[in-house]
Amino acid sequence: MKNKLIISKFGGGVFGVNGENIPLVINRIKKLKKQCDVGPLIIVSAPKTYYQNKISSITDVAINIGNEYANFNPISIDPLINPYIECEKKFITKQYKKQFNDELYKAKQKINRALNQILDNRRCVDVNRSRLLAYSGEMLMNILISYVMKSNGLKSTYLTLKNWPIITDDEFENANFLLSKSQERISDLKKMFKNGNIPCIGGYIGITEDGLETTYERGGSDRTAVNISMLLHEEYDVILDFEKEGIVLNADPKIVKIAKPIFNLSYNEAHIAGRFGMKILDPFAIRELRESGINIPVVLTNVNNPKQITKIDRILNTKITNSPIKIVTGKNNCAIIELNKKSRDTLENFIIKVKRYREFIELMPYEKYGNEYARFLFLDADYVKKHEREFKSFSSDVNIRYNLAAITLVGDQMGETPGIMAIALGPAFRDKINIEDAVFLGPQGGMVLLIIKEGELGKIISSIHNASSELK
């Protein structure tokens, strides 16, 4: 029988500004330890801090400082270091202060070296950007939390790049996980579970085969948790736990004031909802778990009320599902690329295999003046703008439409339920809002997608939410 291991990822917001909620996190880790045979394994995100009169992630602060250096304007790195100094003073006991401060000094040196390279190259990109973000964020937070655990009577250790288990390709700012190469590096992490140790690792960060720092997309610490669960599931009975400031709701509470909690989702529902606007979980993480074929139970836990959870299973548990429409979500800043269908395969191959980009969906083709046109909806118009010249090189008649929004109804059981399309289309019809396109992926697809102009997103989501709440 396998030993039970909980892999718990704590998001940056959970720690509070400048680590003010670290005692809450430590208490949570103590309770998780009682539920495990080994571990738990703790994965951390970069913390938040005050910067330029607002609350920001350390990652955003580092990017801002890096851009200043790229513009030949070197500024102080104190905003990156001071939050850790404050946490050291509050939460690390005397016996561990020197060890932590030695690591802080090393990280500071690496940050300065990365920034000097950025200054010389006039670009905050690639490995120097990744190195800057790693040593100011997750790598340093990883070390901090390990020493705080020790200061609170827990046995803990942390990973360094010498034994880092996440191996990626060399897409430094949007890296791809290499499973087989990572499996060759996992033995050191397994050894760390001995003698009741709680290993700690920073999320978001990978390394290439030759040891250069990389990063995932923003929010990629969730992917780190998934990747490590993929590496450990054969030896341990793994539960994947995401400690958040809340759980999944059926709509964005900023749009729908009476949004209700969702207590169970399938992998498919969680991926679709995240891909089209739900912010609580990185959709790339769930996609990788779904595509791996591995069945690992996932829970999103409200760190402030751990009894409140959202369970995510590979196959939907229909016994505890109420409405067939689980979530209504939306995403602004979308774009559509249209081109002659003869060039469709070449463009798709370029996007997926060359650019390694997958955040798009193919829409139904249409015919005009005897020519057939393919269409792709991109969920990030900024990405399209960045590569617009390359996209337009595939055909002389490429047309790109910006300022679009995507509204998505999510639920694996929608295909079996009458009246779904009426609920989806009715509000737009009543309010005389033009629908640019509509896609229904069912019964297995679990999604209804509406494309409209930006500016009407909130109104339509609220109306659909009100209508769907009456559906059983």
Side-chain angles (χ1 to χ4, degrees):
M1 187 173 178
K2 296 179 183 177
N3 285 325
K4 181 180 177 182
L5 167 64
I6 298 176
I7 298 175
S8 286
K9 183 261 174 175
F10 288 83
V14 168
F15 293 107
V17 179
N18 292 339
E20 62 187 359
N21 292 336
I22 283 178
L24 172 69
V25 171
I26 296 301
N27 286 335
R28 181 72 185 129
I29 292 171
K30 289 178 177 178
K31 291 178 181 178
L32 288 167
K33 183 169 178 56
K34 293 178 181 178
Q35 301 171 33
C36 298
D37 297 316
V38 294
L41 171 62
I42 305 302
I43 299 169
V44 296
S45 295
K48 294 186 179 296
T49 188
Y50 289 109
Y51 183 66
Q52 297 180 341
N53 299 316
K54 64 178 182 180
I55 297 173
S56 298
S57 166
I58 284 285
T59 304
D60 290 322
V61 178
I63 290 171
N64 181 76
I65 291 174
N67 288 335
E68 291 293 333
Y69 272 72
N71 291 324
F72 216 68
N73 180 34
I75 59 177
S76 173
I77 67 167
D78 286 351
L80 299 177
I81 303 301
N82 288 343
Y84 299 103
I85 294 174
E86 185 174 332
C87 288
E88 174 265 318
K89 291 177 179 177
K90 287 183 179 178
F91 305 122
I92 295 180
T93 55
K94 185 177 180 180
Q95 68 184 111
Y96 298 113
K97 284 185 181 293
K98 183 180 185 305
Q99 291 150 282
F100 174 74
N101 283 316
D102 287 346
E103 295 292 346
L104 182 61
Y105 177 75
K106 292 176 189 176
K108 191 173 179 179
Q109 285 183 311
K110 291 173 181 176
I111 292 167
N112 280 322
R113 280 201 292 268
L115 287 170
N116 287 334
Q117 288 290 315
I118 290 168
L119 186 67
D120 288 343
N121 298 333
R122 304 294 295 273
R123 297 287 186 276
C124 183
V125 294
D126 295 337
V127 67
N128 290 316
R129 178 184 184 273
S130 297
R131 193 166 288 155
L132 167 64
L133 300 186
Y135 289 103
S136 63
E138 280 78 4
M139 185 64 73
L140 205 41
M141 193 64 176
N142 161 41
I143 297 168
L144 172 74
I145 293 301
S146 183
Y147 279 113
V148 174
M149 282 195 276
K150 288 181 177 181
S151 298
N152 282 270
L154 295 168
K155 294 181 180 179
S156 180
T157 186
Y158 56 86
L159 285 97
T160 67
L161 287 194
K162 290 180 180 178
N163 53 13
W164 207 255
I166 302 296
I167 307 301
T168 73
D169 61 13
D170 58 1
E171 291 288 324
F172 291 99
E173 299 176 29
N174 195 18
N176 295 285
F177 176 61
L178 302 180
L179 177 60
S180 61
K181 295 296 181 182
S182 298
Q183 287 170 332
E184 297 171 5
R185 299 262 303 194
I186 197 63
S187 59
D188 282 352
L189 174 57
K190 290 179 181 178
K191 293 174 185 175
M192 289 181 174
F193 289 114
K194 292 181 179 178
N195 302 319
N197 262 326
I198 301 175
C200 193
I201 181 172
Y204 184 53
I205 306 162
I207 58 170
T208 62
E209 290 181 67
D210 53 351
L212 297 178
E213 297 88 342
T214 64
T215 59
Y216 286 147
E217 73 289 337
R218 294 298 300 272
S221 292
D222 289 348
R223 270 181 81 188
T224 302
V226 165
N227 295 155
I228 291 181
S229 72
M230 292 164 63
L231 295 171
L232 295 176
H233 81 281
E234 290 185 354
E235 185 158 340
Y236 302 101
D237 181 12
V238 171
I239 295 174
L240 192 49
D241 169 45
F242 294 96
E243 299 280 328
K244 303 285 185 176
E245 296 173 271
I247 63 171
V248 175
L249 301 176
N250 64 354
D252 186 341
K254 294 179 181 177
I255 297 174
V256 178
K257 302 302 181 185
I258 54 170
K260 297 178 181 179
I262 297 294
F263 299 111
N264 79 307
L265 291 170
S266 68
Y267 284 3
N268 183 59
E269 290 172 332
H271 174 239
I272 292 171
R275 193 180 184 195
F276 287 92
M278 183 182 74
K279 297 181 177 66
I280 197 168
L281 189 62
D282 181 14
F284 294 94
I286 292 297
R287 184 189 73 195
E288 286 197 333
L289 190 56
R290 186 181 68 173
E291 292 179 353
S292 73
I294 301 167
N295 186 13
I296 295 174
V298 179
V299 293
L300 268 70
T301 304
N302 182 346
V303 72
N304 296 299
N305 180 13
K307 292 183 179 180
Q308 191 177 50
I309 64 171
T310 299
K311 289 189 66 177
I312 305 176
D313 298 301
R314 176 166 287 278
I315 305 300
L316 181 67
N317 186 344
T318 57
K319 293 181 180 180
I320 55 175
T321 296
N322 294 319
S323 172
I325 301 176
K326 288 285 193 67
I327 298 169
V328 184
T329 188
K331 192 173 181 66
N332 279 310
N333 196 36
C334 298
I336 289 177
I337 295 180
E338 302 174 349
L339 78 166
N340 194 295
K341 198 173 181 182
K342 294 177 182 177
S343 303
R344 175 229 175 264
D345 292 347
T346 309
L347 176 62
E348 184 180 53
N349 188 66
F350 172 75
I351 297 166
I352 294 175
K353 294 186 177 179
V354 178
K355 291 298 185 182
R356 298 187 180 184
Y357 187 80
R358 296 177 63 179
E359 287 310 289
F360 66 92
I361 183 170
E362 186 169 10
L363 304 174
M364 288 291 290
Y366 71 96
E367 190 172 315
K368 184 177 181 181
Y369 304 131
N371 293 315
E372 198 167 7
Y373 290 87
R375 298 181 302 149
F376 296 96
L377 171 69
F378 283 75
L379 304 178
D380 181 2
D382 292 337
Y383 180 85
V384 177
K385 290 174 183 175
K386 183 178 179 180
H387 299 283
E388 184 173 311
R389 182 177 296 180
E390 293 171 284
F391 293 147
K392 286 187 173 180
S393 70
F394 281 87
S395 176
S396 59
D397 56 359
V398 168
N399 180 42
I400 301 178
R401 296 157 57 201
Y402 294 108
N403 302 316
L404 298 175
I407 295 173
T408 312
L409 286 68
V410 181
D412 287 347
Q413 293 181 294
M414 289 192 300
E416 306 165 4
T417 306
I420 295 294
M421 289 306 291
I423 289 173
L425 300 174
F429 177 77
R430 287 193 302 271
D431 295 331
K432 298 180 180 180
I433 295 171
N434 184 49
I435 295 176
E436 304 283 324
D437 208 323
V439 178
F440 178 43
L441 298 180
Q444 284 80 33
M447 177 180 79
V448 175
L449 172 66
L450 308 179
I451 303 169
I452 62 173
K453 292 284 188 184
E454 284 187 345
E456 302 290 349
L457 189 73
K459 186 176 183 180
I460 296 295
I461 287 177
S462 293
S463 296
I464 293 173
H465 179 272
N466 291 337
S468 65
S469 63
E470 302 173 5
L471 191 63
K472 301 291 184 184

